[in-house]
Amino acid sequence: METLNSIVGAVNAVVWGPLMLVLILGVGLFLQVGLKLMPILRIGTGFSLLFKGRSPEDGEGQITPFNALMTALSATIGTGNIAGVATAVFLGGPGALFWMWITALVGMATKYSEAVCAVKFREQDSQGNFVGGPMYYIKNGLGDNWKWLGVAFALFGSIAAFGIGNGVQANGVAQVLETNFGFNPSITGVVLMVLTGAVVLGGITRIGAVAGALVPFMAVSYIVAGLIVLLINADQLGSALGLVFTHAFTPSAAEGGFAGAAVWAAIRFGVARGVFSNEAGLGSAPIAHAAAETKGPVNQGLIAMLGTFIDTIIVCSITGLAIIASGVWTSGESGAALTSLAFETSLPGFGGYLIAIALSIFAFTTILGWSYYGEKCVGYLLGAKVLIGYRILWIVAIYFGATADLGFIWLLADTLNAMMAIPNLIALILLSPVVFAVTKEFFATKGQSEERTSRSPQ
């Protein structure tokens, strides 16, 4: 086991090394420039479409555009927003939060492009369900010579789902509930199995419906609680922002329980945890967006890019600033314990429990979202006939995740996440001319339509 740990650790160091971080940021920047900063400039348009997308549009698909985004957010708003941000600050210092923001700003273009390709190149499986994602836009967009790349993505995705989307999440829930409420991990595992089974056995329609109800509630509740913590520490907020920008470009000195960090550490952990949190470039979210009942690829792309904005610019920022402004970032704590300490310090007797509950709900919805991602990867490899068996296996795996020591699974899942990203990022580069052309045509047509409307008699 030690040998296996060493091998996976060595691979992890390579796949999450400088080349991967440059690739993720580079592809995002390339797409952002190619789109002429449209994802940033059109955030308002995206939110307008999201509001309208609560009802089905006149288009093909299975779930509303709103529920497609909520399904994607159910998988992204999870432990990364609580434990991941805290780990980035613990290892990279306050400057890591700045690099998470940069990752999100370029990642909006990546997420937009993923959704555009997912809808444009989606297809229907043998059961009539709409399916899409990197494996399909590689197959249908790049041709037969690139099919192996789609197979590679689906293979990595189907395995990674059981790690990052199942075992790690169930283990996080079991640990936080045992620590704060004394719940037995075995009982937590059984309860999670029952709740998950009640949702995932109903397929994407039920997952979308549950996500559409639960994700907005949990996200808004956490944001409100976080803003209260920031208001309590309002006098330190200016200093906290100063630390973020200062340590993004200069080393963080050792202080209290903080060991200090070089600028490279801030960049590395900020980018890595940012991608872990919002999944821009990973190729997971477009699998959900491919099922949207939408008028066209660009419509869903504009909604999809909001996932990165909401996840990182809003939710992760609140977590990071709460940790820094409350002063606990030098305590020596890391992960969820550090975030819990920040909230408990500001909201004594309540903050720690709040984080425990938030982490549990976040992790549960992540299990739901990733069940769909893994299912579609397996379906691509083996066909729709295996999906019921896959869902049952997914439910059973939750119990083992909740009760096992998952140190190795964390490492393996992190590695496979990067392995998923490589085929997806290659595909996005090769398909970028399609994304640019579809986007240009959409806004040109939209502009002409608005001009005709303004000229029509009132």
Side-chain angles (χ1 to χ4, degrees):
M1 190 64 186
E2 288 184 10
T3 303
L4 189 59
N5 261 304
S6 299
I7 293 172
V8 176
V11 174
N12 185 271
V14 173
V15 297
W16 278 117
L19 288 178
M20 171 56 78
L21 302 187
V22 168
L23 181 62
I24 290 172
L25 290 178
V27 170
L29 184 60
F30 168 73
L31 293 170
Q32 191 69 268
V33 171
L35 291 166
K36 299 177 182 177
L37 304 183
M38 183 278 294
I40 295 175
L41 299 175
R42 292 280 184 169
I43 288 177
T45 304
F47 276 108
S48 175
L49 288 170
L50 177 63
F51 182 79
K52 295 175 183 176
R54 293 175 300 168
S55 302
E57 292 187 355
D58 295 327
E60 296 180 318
Q62 293 165 265
I63 57 177
T64 66
F66 177 85
N67 281 353
L69 177 62
M70 292 306 107
T71 300
L73 278 175
S74 74
T76 55
I77 297 183
T79 55
N81 298 82
I82 294 177
V85 178
T87 301
V89 173
F90 173 74
L91 295 173
L97 186 58
F98 173 86
W99 293 106
M100 291 186 79
W101 293 337
I102 297 299
T103 303
L105 290 176
V106 299
M108 287 177 65
T110 307
K111 192 69 72 77
Y112 167 83
S113 302
E114 288 176 331
V116 167
C117 290
V119 174
K120 182 171 179 58
F121 295 109
R122 67 184 177 179
E123 58 185 58
Q124 287 181 280
D125 64 18
S126 59
Q127 297 178 348
N129 299 315
F130 281 88
V131 291
M135 53 280 199
Y136 290 97
Y137 54 72
I138 288 171
K139 182 182 76 169
N140 299 328
L142 297 179
D144 291 342
N145 292 336
W146 292 93
K147 275 187 178 181
W148 63 272
L149 197 65
V151 172
F153 174 88
L155 181 62
F156 294 139
S158 60
I159 301 171
F162 277 96
I164 200 63
N166 187 313
V168 165
Q169 305 300 328
N171 195 258
V173 175
Q175 287 185 355
V176 77
L177 291 183
E178 183 181 27
T179 300
N180 289 276
F181 301 104
F183 291 173
N184 188 302
S186 295
I187 295 175
T188 300
V190 172
V191 173
L192 273 177
M193 286 175 62
V194 173
L195 292 175
T196 303
V199 179
V200 302
L201 291 176
I204 183 58
T205 304
R206 194 177 300 170
I207 293 172
V210 172
L214 197 55
V215 171
F217 169 76
M218 72 174 190
V220 170
S221 298
Y222 183 77
I223 289 169
V224 169
L227 289 175
I228 292 172
V229 171
L230 293 180
L231 283 173
I232 291 172
N233 296 284
D235 59 327
Q236 297 297 320
L237 200 51
S239 299
L241 287 169
L243 288 172
V244 170
F245 287 102
T246 300
H247 292 305
F249 303 99
T250 58
S252 303
E255 183 179 348
F258 178 68
V263 173
W264 165 242
I267 298 173
R268 178 189 174 187
F269 293 109
V271 174
R273 293 301 94 187
V275 172
F276 177 86
S277 178
N278 62 50
E279 298 180 10
L282 214 60
S284 51
I287 299 175
H289 289 289
E293 188 175 343
T294 180
K295 291 181 180 178
V298 174
N299 290 66
Q300 197 59 33
L302 288 166
I303 292 174
M305 70 186 192
L306 299 179
T308 301
F309 181 84
I310 294 169
D311 179 274
T312 306
I313 300 297
I314 297 178
V315 182
C316 287
S317 294
I318 286 175
T319 302
L321 290 174
I323 290 169
I324 300 167
S326 62
V328 301
W329 70 277
T330 60
S331 65
E333 292 286 355
S334 181
L338 179 55
T339 306
S340 181
L341 180 60
F343 276 68
E344 181 64 26
T345 300
S346 304
L347 301 168
F350 172 70
Y353 293 130
L354 177 68
I355 292 301
I357 294 170
L359 183 63
S360 299
I361 297 175
F362 284 178
F364 171 63
T365 57
T366 298
I367 291 173
L368 300 182
W370 269 93
S371 73
Y372 183 71
Y373 295 162
E375 172 183 306
K376 291 309 168 191
C377 286
V378 171
Y380 179 82
L381 295 171
L382 303 175
K385 61 183 181 298
V386 304
L387 297 186
I388 293 298
Y390 175 87
R391 291 172 189 172
I392 293 172
L393 181 61
W394 182 267
I395 295 165
V396 172
I398 290 171
Y399 180 82
F400 293 97
T403 57
D405 179 7
L406 289 184
F408 173 72
I409 298 299
W410 264 105
L411 184 64
L412 181 62
D414 204 30
T415 303
L416 288 170
N417 273 352
M419 300 296 281
M420 287 172 63
I422 293 171
N424 181 53
L425 292 170
I426 292 172
L428 290 178
I429 293 172
L430 296 174
L431 289 171
S432 59
V434 176
V435 175
F436 299 156
V438 168
T439 304
K440 184 178 180 180
E441 180 183 359
F442 174 85
F443 284 107
T445 304
K446 188 173 186 291
Q448 292 171 3
S449 177
E450 290 174 349
E451 186 177 352
R452 284 196 297 270
T453 301
S454 65
R455 290 178 178 178
S456 61
Q458 301 298 318

